[in-house]
Amino acid sequence: MPEKKHIQIFSEVQTSRFKYIANFLFGDILQYAVDIVYHENDLKDGVFTICYSHRAVVEKSIHIQPAALLKERIIEKQEMTFFKWKELPVFFGTGGRDIPFDLFSAAFYLVTRYEEYLPHGKDKHGRFKPEESIAFRESFLNLPLIDMWMQEVTNVLRKKGGAPPIRKFRYLNTIDVDNAYAFMEKGLLRSTGAILRSVIQLNFSDLTDRLKTLIGQRSDPFNTFDFVLKKAEKYGFKSVFFFLLANYGVNDKNVPHTSRKFRSLIKSVNDYCKVGIHPSYASTDDPELLQMEANRLKEIIHMPVADSRQHFLKIEIPRSYRELLEIEVYNDYSMGYASELGFRASTCTPFLFFDLEQNRQTRLRVYPYSLMEATLKYYMGKNPEDAMNYFKPIIDRVKNVNGFLCTLWHNDSLSDYGEWKGWRKVYEDMLEYIYED
């Protein structure tokens, strides 16, 4: 790999908060090798400089004047006034010479989910409500705002004689497996109960499909795994499948983890792409369950479990992330809202979790997703015919910043069966649109 271009950031602020966000903005997003300098005498000639200070100490540099947030160690409600810069919403205005707001503080506030540490309302599942976020209230939830800010910073860099690296658009396909099979491997009691229910409700279509599947005359509708893997081979994208391995419960109704067929399926998928744990609804209140479920997956695939997405997207910051770190799971894909499309952390770039209460960067990398089919169907009440009208703008915005697009689908929604009739075509149309260029 070619050596990364260097950029130096002169800063009057010497905190873990500043170091974290400087490396995210200019390292992870703009893909520079970042050198942070705290003393003028240590500045190097010939390396472009960002001056994060009350005065620009280098003539040909970008000047950003600090606000107070990154100097603090406490967590408290922040006073914010929004205005526009380059037609984009910004806050923490400081009147810097080149960028009129504290880019570092604003991005830090958004990407660390600062507001989720403050008192807030929750939905019926105990999740942070999108309506509580400034992104929702200020109408930028559907924008990868931090990445868009950095795109404008890139333009300023070019005008100043800098030559920023160019990152490439990336796509990651993720599939949640809440219910691996519609009819198979449910056990005698559950299968008998389902058959009786179909008879009582006179649902003979469901009864016929179930019986044909159980005697092997047709494949199980939710067995869409080969379909996804063939699409991955066609387009060349990477995938992660998240398997629910919970004890049976009201909100955790997958196939029993002891099922040989189910375990064989997990092993087979793991031969072609990554698999991760889908921690159960119940595990959010019981760390021992989280450990047990991760151990189940580890025992099946005979390798460490590195990836996770919470069932029902039930994450509570920072507790959920700390619990993942405790069991040595270092990648999480739960950063998004169930009820809204868009960018919960206002970025489409994966980032390391910064624990605000402990004021430190952790090893856990967060992969934000921006599209989920269930958002449109269950929360917004949209038909498959309308879905791409909502997906396309999100995809376009990620492409426009050469960002990282992560989508969330479920194996059953790709079945083209029952309530999911028509949604497989949406998935195919989405992939075609992503790769049309």
Side-chain angles (χ1 to χ4, degrees):
M1 293 180 62
E3 185 177 349
K4 282 190 172 184
K5 296 179 181 179
H6 281 255
I7 195 168
Q8 57 188 351
I9 304 177
F10 172 76
S11 175
E12 295 174 349
V13 180
Q14 301 184 38
T15 64
S16 57
R17 290 183 174 191
F18 169 72
K19 183 178 179 181
Y20 165 80
I21 199 62
N23 279 299
F24 173 64
L25 294 178
F26 288 91
D28 292 345
I29 296 181
L30 292 195
Q31 301 192 336
Y32 278 105
V34 178
D35 303 320
I36 298 176
V37 179
Y38 298 117
H39 303 286
E40 291 184 45
N41 293 337
D42 294 332
L43 289 166
K44 298 176 183 177
D45 294 332
V47 180
F48 194 89
T49 305
I50 307 292
C51 289
Y52 186 56
S53 55
H54 287 88
R55 65 184 181 89
V57 299
V58 176
E59 183 179 350
K60 289 186 176 181
S61 64
I62 291 178
H63 178 223
I64 303 171
Q65 192 162 307
L69 182 67
L70 300 186
K71 302 174 187 176
E72 299 172 351
R73 293 186 60 84
I74 58 175
I75 304 170
E76 62 181 2
K77 184 180 172 76
Q78 300 291 317
E79 295 299 324
M80 297 176 187
T81 300
F82 281 82
F83 60 100
K84 290 293 181 71
W85 174 65
K86 308 293 185 181
E87 303 303 318
L88 297 172
V90 298
F91 54 103
F92 289 134
T94 53
R97 186 185 70 187
D98 300 300
I99 297 175
F101 72 107
D102 185 345
L103 169 71
F104 294 98
S105 290
F108 182 84
Y109 184 90
L110 294 172
V111 80
T112 60
R113 305 307 305 129
Y114 193 104
E115 61 195 354
E116 297 193 36
Y117 289 81
L118 302 172
H120 58 264
K122 297 181 179 181
D123 68 10
K124 66 180 182 179
H125 298 294
R127 301 175 298 200
F128 180 85
K129 296 168 67 174
E131 294 83 1
E132 296 282 310
S133 69
I134 60 168
F136 184 91
R137 294 197 302 269
E138 297 295 329
S139 302
F140 62 83
L141 180 58
N142 61 350
L143 302 179
L145 185 60
I146 297 173
D147 303 83
M148 295 172 78
W149 287 342
M150 295 312 293
Q151 191 173 53
E152 293 298 337
V153 171
T154 295
N155 295 333
V156 177
L157 275 163
R158 290 197 182 100
K159 290 177 182 177
K160 295 271 186 177
I166 299 175
R167 67 174 179 172
K168 294 182 179 179
F169 168 79
R170 293 181 295 156
Y171 171 61
L172 180 68
N173 175 69
T174 68
I175 306 291
D176 285 359
V177 186
D178 301 345
N179 200 353
Y181 303 114
F183 304 128
M184 296 191 305
E185 302 299 306
K186 298 300 176 72
L188 179 61
L189 188 62
R190 287 174 68 186
S191 294
T192 301
I195 290 171
L196 291 175
R197 185 168 58 250
S198 295
V199 172
I200 293 170
Q201 296 174 352
L202 304 180
N203 188 347
F204 297 115
S205 174
D206 180 83
L207 178 63
T208 300
D209 289 341
R210 184 180 300 275
L211 293 175
K212 283 185 176 180
T213 301
L214 292 176
I215 64 176
Q217 288 188 357
R218 61 160 293 169
S219 62
D220 191 284
F222 291 178
N223 189 1
T224 58
F225 303 95
D226 285 344
F227 166 76
V228 176
L229 293 175
K230 286 177 181 177
K231 291 296 180 183
E233 183 179 7
K234 175 181 177 180
Y235 290 104
F237 58 74
K238 293 183 179 180
S239 297
V240 187
F241 286 76
F242 297 96
F243 287 94
L244 182 66
L245 294 169
N247 295 332
Y248 185 83
V250 174
N251 295 301
D252 302 307
K253 296 182 178 179
N254 201 358
V255 173
H257 73 278
T258 53
S259 161
R260 289 185 179 181
K261 189 173 186 66
F262 184 36
R263 294 165 72 90
S264 178
L265 169 68
I266 296 171
K267 291 177 182 178
S268 176
V269 172
N270 189 54
D271 288 339
Y272 295 96
C273 58
K274 292 174 75 173
V275 301
I277 190 64
H278 200 34
S280 65
Y281 190 99
S283 75
T284 56
D285 298 317
D286 189 345
E288 291 185 3
L289 278 181
L290 175 64
Q291 178 74 76
M292 179 186 71
E293 292 164 17
N295 286 343
R296 285 173 177 171
L297 181 58
K298 181 179 179 180
E299 188 268 329
I300 292 170
I301 63 176
H302 302 294
M303 58 192 301
V305 176
D307 303 275
S308 173
R309 178 186 282 128
Q310 188 66 42
H311 192 28
F312 277 73
L313 302 169
K314 265 176 67 71
I315 57 168
E316 182 181 325
I317 298 173
R319 180 174 61 87
S320 300
Y321 286 160
R322 289 176 181 170
E323 290 172 358
L324 289 176
L325 286 163
E326 280 290 319
I327 65 169
E328 299 182 332
V329 171
Y330 297 119
N331 302 302
D332 181 73
Y333 301 75
S334 309
M335 183 55 67
Y337 293 120
S339 59
E340 296 283 344
L341 302 178
F343 306 88
R344 181 170 176 171
S346 299
T347 182
C348 59
T349 302
F351 57 91
L352 291 171
F353 165 57
F354 187 95
D355 191 321
L356 274 175
E357 290 181 347
Q358 298 177 355
N359 259 304
R360 68 179 183 90
Q361 175 181 296
T362 71
R363 292 181 59 186
L364 181 78
R365 188 164 294 277
V366 177
Y367 291 81
Y369 76 90
S370 49
L371 302 179
M372 180 173 71
E373 87 289 49
T375 302
L376 291 184
K377 177 173 172 53
Y378 292 132
Y379 291 91
M380 298 173 66
K382 302 302 177 183
N383 297 318
E385 294 79 15
D386 300 324
M388 286 303 295
N389 294 328
Y390 293 89
F391 283 179
K392 283 180 179 180
I394 299 287
I395 296 168
D396 289 341
R397 287 168 189 142
V398 177
K399 282 186 173 183
N400 288 341
V401 295
N402 291 318
F404 177 91
L405 176 67
C406 179
T407 62
L408 194 171
W409 285 75
H410 296 75
N411 62 298
D412 53 327
S413 68
L414 299 172
S415 64
D416 207 31
Y417 179 82
E419 65 174 333
W420 289 108
K421 195 73 176 175
W423 285 90
R424 179 189 282 227
K425 184 178 185 304
V426 178
Y427 180 73
E428 293 177 312
D429 289 345
M430 182 195 75
L431 293 177
E432 186 174 336
Y433 188 74
I434 290 170
Y435 287 98
E436 69 178 2
D437 297 332

